[in-house]
Each structure stands twice: as structure tokens, then as C-alpha cells.
Amino acid sequence: MGSARPGPNLTRIAASLGISVATVSNALSGKGRVSVELAERIRATAAALGYVPSQAGRALRTGRSGVLGLVLPDISNPLFPQIAQAIEHSAALAGYGVLIADSRGDVGMQSEAIQRLIERGVDGMVIVPRRGTRIAGAGCPVAIIDTPSTPGNTVSADHWQGGREIARHLRNLGHRKILLIGASSASSVQNDRIGGFKSALDATTIKTEVLWIEKLEERDGPGCLLGLADKVRQGFTAFAAVSDLHALRALTELQRAGIAVPDSASVTGFDDLIWSPVVTPALTTIRMDITAIAEIAITALVSAINDGEPIKRMRPGEASADEPLPGSRLVTAEKSRVPMQLIVRQSSGPLGLAKNETFSGELLT
């Protein structure tokens, strides 16, 4: 059985038209002196023969690889595959491939991943950074997706606004004692979500308390109980987690303790992960527009690549993820904040009659 016939190259196109390979190359690359009529004939012939430009050849001509890097902090988190898919789709529409690197939740590994992508010659990078990551002097444009409070951030969901949305929702349901559940106090995203939540409430009429899972697990071990049943006995009626993962943990713990959700306690999350509508009860959460964020990041990144000359690879220096990269390599976008959307489902509800009698005062508006 014979081997598959290779795709047509410039030589076959030139031979079919009786012209030089150089003329074909100039027409397809838009360079050199080729008449409009001949250029159209060359392109039509190339299309008819199924010609696909060589990425390697394009890289030699332009000094660019046609590949972008994407660095994620933890691909095991269900949110990040969704981000990766949206980035890859937007990049493909712009004519770029994507190399994905996962730091597996480790700051040092993220810095190494960034360096590996630099060494592979990516034209630009999208980074979802961990706080404190050391980013090498990339020598290519870099788009940061984190939170608006991060210096040099390119675009992100408006996490502060998302926190305000979930706070207003619980406030309007009548909750007056709310526990906020976060994973790490070092996370800029989580702090912004919690900050936005608190900013929407009157501290004189609504009590909030923050529980950091990381600190609790340092004392009691990974996967320990969060003590939510005790919090219910102390009068807490709503549990607002900064991610759906932590909201599911809270929901499970409350249900195992015999506390009905939402009849006796409401639970809310963040990110609207793929399973959030199908858990029981379905989770009230805040959804980020991942598609819009990816489109804005890739558009800004590709624009920065196209506006510059083929990039000269620089010797790597260092800059913090919390500081701008040297050489103005951080990419800016006209729209840097994408609003988040409240998704109300069955895990949140109004206070029962007995709990309403426990609290005094009118609902805030």
C-alpha cells in the first residue's frame, strides 16, 4: 500500500502556472512586485491544490512562531480548563496555536513553566498568575488575567463587583449574620471578592466573619470539618464561599450535620462551575464571562505582537507578578473589567419565620 501523497508546496503551484517559485512566494506573502491579476491566479491555484502554508517556513520569514503560551496555576481546578478552552478558541480564530503550562499550584513551578515557554519561542503569553510568582523578563508581550487590583493586569472578571452582587442577594433575602469562606488570605482574587461583599453591607446591621480554610487546615489537617454546624448554632444563616469548590464543601458539611439548605442555611459560591447547576440543591453562584475575557486578552496580545518588530530574545531578568515586567511587555486592553453575573438557584433562600424573629430591623435596600 502506497504512502499518502504529500500536500502541495510552492514548487507545484509554480509549475502548474509556469512561473517562478519566488513569484508564488511573494504573492502568497504579500511581498514583492506581483500584479493583482497574477496574485489572484496564484492564490486561486493554491486554494484549488489544497496548499497549506508551512508554519516553520512562516517562522523563518517573520521571526515569529505563530504560537502563544498559556500559564495556568492549577489545571485540576475545574475553572481553569474552561479558561484554557476559551483562550485556545480565541487564539485559533486569530491564527495562533497555544502551548499550555500548568504550575500545579506551586509558585516555583509556575516560574519554571514561564521560562520553558520563553525558551520555546512563543510570540506572546497569557498568564493567570499565583501571587508572588517570579516572572522572567519575557522578551515577548504578556497578557495577565487575574483581578483589577493586580498591578499590570490586562483583563479579568470584576471580582469586587461580583462580591457586591452576592452580598446584595443575601442581604435582600434577610440574612443578617453571614460567614464568608475563603481558601487563602494571600489570594488577590479572593480578597477582592470578599472586599466587594463587605462593601455592599452595613456593618452596623449585618455581621460578617471570614473563615480561611488554609489556616484551619494548618491546625486540623487537610479536609477537616469547617465547623459550620457550630456556626449555625451561633446564629449564622448564610455561608458565602469565594468559589464553587468551597461552596460544595460547605453544602456537604451542612447536609451531613442534618442542616437543611436553604431552609435553615443558605450557601452561595463563585465561578458557576460545570456541576454547579446539578448538585442538590443547585448552587447559587456568580458567573464570569470567560469567553469575553479570553477574547479581550487575545485581541490585546495579538495587537501587541503585530505592532512590534520580530522579537529579539532577551536574556531573562526577573520581575514580580505584582509588578510590571521590564521593557513594557505587559499588554493593556481598552476594557479591563468584565462584569460578573449573579445566577440564583436553589441553595439560597429567605430566612424562615423563626430566624426572622431573631433579628430586628428592616431589610436594607
Side-chain angles (χ1 to χ4, degrees):
M1 186 173 182
S3 60
R5 184 180 182 184
N9 55 25
L10 298 183
T11 301
R12 287 181 59 195
I13 298 170
S16 68
L17 292 171
I19 58 178
S20 70
V21 172
T23 300
V24 174
S25 177
N26 286 339
L28 294 179
S29 65
K31 298 179 180 179
R33 296 182 180 180
V34 182
S35 68
V36 175
E37 294 80 6
L38 180 56
E40 289 178 353
R41 285 177 57 207
I42 292 170
R43 285 192 289 269
T45 301
L49 291 174
Y51 171 73
V52 177
S54 164
Q55 188 62 54
R58 180 184 298 168
L60 288 173
R61 291 192 305 272
T62 65
R64 294 174 183 157
S65 64
V67 176
L68 304 176
L70 172 61
V71 183
L72 298 172
D74 185 2
I75 203 72
S76 67
N77 184 317
L79 173 65
F80 294 122
Q82 292 180 256
I83 292 176
Q85 185 178 54
I87 291 290
E88 194 281 332
H89 179 69
S90 292
L93 292 177
Y96 284 84
V98 177
L99 288 176
I100 299 175
D102 175 23
S103 68
R104 302 178 187 178
D106 183 84
V107 172
M109 290 185 67
Q110 183 158 15
S111 296
E112 292 174 7
I114 292 167
Q115 186 59 38
R116 285 197 302 273
L117 291 174
I118 294 168
E119 291 170 354
R120 292 191 177 214
V122 296
D123 294 332
M125 273 190 280
V126 178
I127 300 176
V128 184
R130 290 182 61 83
R131 188 175 180 87
T133 298
R134 304 300 296 179
I135 300 177
C140 69
V142 175
I144 299 293
I145 299 177
D146 193 25
T147 190
S149 65
T150 298
N153 192 67
T154 303
V155 62
S156 67
D158 192 339
H159 300 287
W160 189 277
Q161 172 257 332
R164 291 180 64 84
E165 291 291 332
I166 207 77
R168 291 187 185 112
H169 171 66
L170 292 174
R171 179 194 69 189
N172 291 337
L173 289 173
H175 295 281
R176 292 294 179 270
K177 202 168 183 180
I178 303 169
L179 184 72
L180 304 173
I181 302 173
S184 172
S185 59
S187 167
S188 298
V189 169
Q190 294 181 39
N191 277 303
D192 278 8
R193 291 176 175 183
I194 288 173
F197 190 102
K198 289 181 174 180
S199 74
L201 303 178
D202 182 350
T204 63
T205 57
I206 300 179
K207 179 182 178 181
T208 62
E209 185 178 303
V210 180
L211 182 153
W212 293 110
I213 295 175
E214 185 177 70
K215 294 180 180 178
L216 193 62
E217 290 188 336
E218 286 177 1
R219 186 189 71 194
D220 298 334
C224 66
L225 289 176
L226 304 180
L228 303 189
D230 286 339
K231 293 296 183 182
V232 171
R233 285 189 283 272
Q234 293 168 22
F236 286 89
T237 61
F239 299 87
V242 297
S243 79
D244 287 356
L245 286 173
H246 306 316
L248 179 60
R249 182 170 175 176
L251 179 64
T252 302
E253 182 173 321
L254 289 167
Q255 290 176 327
R256 287 178 176 173
I259 298 168
V261 177
D263 294 344
S264 299
S266 288
V267 176
T268 63
F270 250 94
D271 297 329
D272 194 25
L273 298 180
I274 190 169
W275 44 259
S276 298
V278 297
V279 297
T280 302
L283 189 62
T284 293
T285 187
I286 295 287
R287 177 186 297 164
M288 70 170 70
D289 192 339
I290 295 175
T291 299
I293 292 169
E295 288 175 351
I296 292 169
I298 292 298
T299 297
L301 189 59
V302 170
S303 177
I305 293 169
N306 291 338
D307 287 346
E309 295 298 321
I311 292 168
K312 178 181 178 181
R313 302 298 165 191
M314 297 160 35
R315 295 182 63 186
E318 283 193 339
S320 168
D322 302 319
E323 301 169 359
L325 291 178
S328 300
R329 290 297 181 180
L330 286 184
V331 171
T332 59
E334 291 186 7
K335 182 178 182 180
S336 61
R337 297 173 184 242
V338 177
M340 304 189 86
Q341 179 186 4
L342 173 66
I343 307 296
V344 178
R345 298 193 180 104
Q346 288 74 47
S347 68
S348 61
L351 287 172
L353 178 61
K355 287 189 170 60
N356 267 325
E357 292 173 348
T358 304
F359 301 92
S360 60
E362 298 294 323
L363 292 182
L364 300 179
T365 58

